[in-house]
Amino acid sequence: NAGVTQTPKFQVLKTGQSMTLQCAQDMNHNSMYWYRQDPGMGLRLIYYSASEGTTDKGEVPNGYNVSRLNKREFSLRLESAAPSQTSVYFCASSEVPRGQPQHFGDGTRLSIL
Amino acid sequence: GQQLNQSPQSMFIQEGEDVSMNCTSSSIFNTWLWYKQEPGEGPVLLIALYKAGELTSNGRLTAQFGITRKDSFLNISASIPSDVGIYFCAGRDAGNNRKLIWGLGTSLAVNP
């Protein structure tokens, strides 16, 4: 049982490049989340999806887009990466719509030069 | 944005000791959550609390929802080396139930 799987685990980008972070869960959960974690800032919600076909902005959505492709997958896209987006990105899921995140992936460590 | 006041910021203890940490908010909460994060991994939900005064255990971990609804406590009894990690509190403001607010974490180190 893999839980929440994130790919890639590490990535280095140049300013202005684009990339998509992938997330998939195998627990049949309704809600999925994207967070970023920065030193001294705690976890901040970027976007969430309460159920398949819906997405909503979190606290820090600027510079990001998301796609809830199906119930399993929720991707995060950086269209034009900026150094301020250097962070560790976590995907999470929960059974209850808008419930607390129950299961997190192991994160994607993203550096933008 | 709003953050929770989590203390202490870090702890260094001897194996076998009990540990206490807490989280306070400036407003009334209707949910308190405690997570643990180990290096290189995502947070793991340890305990969820939904009622003032509620006391819930998960093995050697016990958490309480403060009766003022503005604080929560996490205790770890008889600590062991695998307790090492960062413990985060999180909660939902009763006046803005859609948003989950996070603390900055308590870093725990255990000396065997």
Side-chain angles (χ1 to χ4, degrees):
Chain A
N1 187 355
V4 178
T5 303
Q6 291 183 238
T7 56
K9 294 190 184 305
F10 303 92
Q11 185 69 49
V12 179
L13 294 177
K14 294 182 179 178
T15 297
Q17 287 186 318
S18 62
M19 95 161 279
T20 300
L21 279 60
Q22 307 287 352
C23 175
Q25 53 94 7
D26 61 4
M27 295 166 287
N28 203 36
H29 282 176
N30 288 297
S31 291
M32 297 184 74
Y33 312 79
W34 276 105
Y35 285 92
R36 60 178 289 175
Q37 186 175 40
D38 303 287
M41 300 292 289
L43 280 154
R44 292 184 291 171
L45 182 65
I46 305 171
Y47 270 93
Y48 71 96
S49 171
S51 60
E52 184 179 354
T54 68
T55 61
D56 287 288
K57 294 179 180 179
E59 301 171 65
V60 288
N62 291 346
Y64 306 95
N65 285 302
V66 290
S67 296
R68 184 74 183 265
L69 305 169
N70 47 56
K71 195 170 187 179
R72 288 188 66 247
E73 298 172 288
F74 189 37
S75 62
L76 178 72
R77 182 161 178 84
L78 286 70
E79 290 292 350
S80 179
S84 62
Q85 294 178 304
T86 293
S87 187
V88 182
Y89 291 85
F90 288 100
C91 177
S93 70
S94 67
E95 188 174 7
V96 176
R98 295 193 172 89
Q100 61 268 15
Q102 294 171 277
H103 298 273
F104 282 80
D106 285 339
T108 293
R109 283 140 190 86
L110 183 61
S111 292
I112 298 159
L113 308 176
Chain B
Q2 183 182 0
Q3 284 179 336
L4 301 175
N5 183 16
Q6 190 170 350
S7 66
Q9 191 172 6
S10 62
M11 303 181 74
F12 187 84
I13 62 170
Q14 294 295 123
E15 182 176 359
E17 289 184 1
D18 296 342
V19 173
S20 291
M21 59 190 78
N22 68 80
C23 216
T24 59
S25 66
S26 57
S27 54
I28 291 172
F29 277 25
N30 58 22
T31 301
W32 284 101
L33 309 166
W34 286 93
Y35 293 83
K36 177 188 178 187
Q37 185 176 24
E38 298 186 21
E41 299 182 6
V44 173
L45 179 61
L46 299 172
I47 295 175
L49 304 161
Y50 302 105
K51 285 173 51 178
E54 182 179 355
L55 190 71
T56 298
S57 293
N58 178 0
R60 293 176 296 104
L61 278 63
T62 301
Q64 184 165 23
F65 193 136
I67 57 173
T68 66
R69 299 177 65 189
K70 292 185 177 182
D71 54 13
S72 180
F73 308 89
L74 177 69
N75 295 313
I76 305 173
S77 63
S79 59
I80 59 178
S82 62
D83 290 332
V84 166
I86 302 176
Y87 291 80
F88 290 97
C89 63
R92 291 194 191 277
D93 188 322
N96 182 6
N97 198 42
R98 292 170 63 97
K99 185 178 177 182
L100 190 64
I101 302 164
W102 292 80
L104 296 183
T106 293
S107 178
L108 177 65
V110 179
N111 190 27

